[in-house]
Amino acid sequence: MIAFVIIFGILAIGVVLVVHGTVVKNRWGVNLGPVYCPHCKTPFPMVRKPQSLSQAMWGGSTCRVCGTEADKWGREVASPARFQNERSSR
Ligand SMILES: [Zn+2]
């Protein structure tokens, strides 16, 4: 019974993280809409090829036209690799 409560609690936390992340557009969110390059407005392909570990984990793409790296919300990634220092852009 305790194991069930723990598993259910972890699942609930995961759901809250994803829903909250989708609302505030952080890396936990799920973006099902189209994403465009922040510089040249080229649409990113729906099936993406991750260029780095953080892109594989958190989403995001590198523009094949101008090379700009953007997250899965189409926002430019200023400094790749240090995503734990991610500044809030609000
Ligand atoms: Zn571009």
Side-chain angles (χ1 to χ4, degrees), residues 5-62:
V5 169
I6 291 172
I7 290 169
F8 187 80
I10 291 171
L11 274 178
I13 290 169
V15 169
V16 167
L17 268 178
V18 169
V19 170
H20 176 256
T22 303
V23 171
V24 303
K25 295 190 173 184
N26 69 16
R27 62 174 176 252
W28 294 98
V30 177
N31 184 9
L32 298 175
V35 179
Y36 299 93
C37 172
H39 270 235
C40 64
K41 309 300 179 199
T42 303
F44 286 148
M46 289 304 285
V47 181
R48 61 195 171 76
K49 264 197 291 180
Q51 308 282 315
S52 63
L53 184 64
S54 77
Q55 281 189 8
M57 279 189 67
W58 303 113
S61 303
T62 303

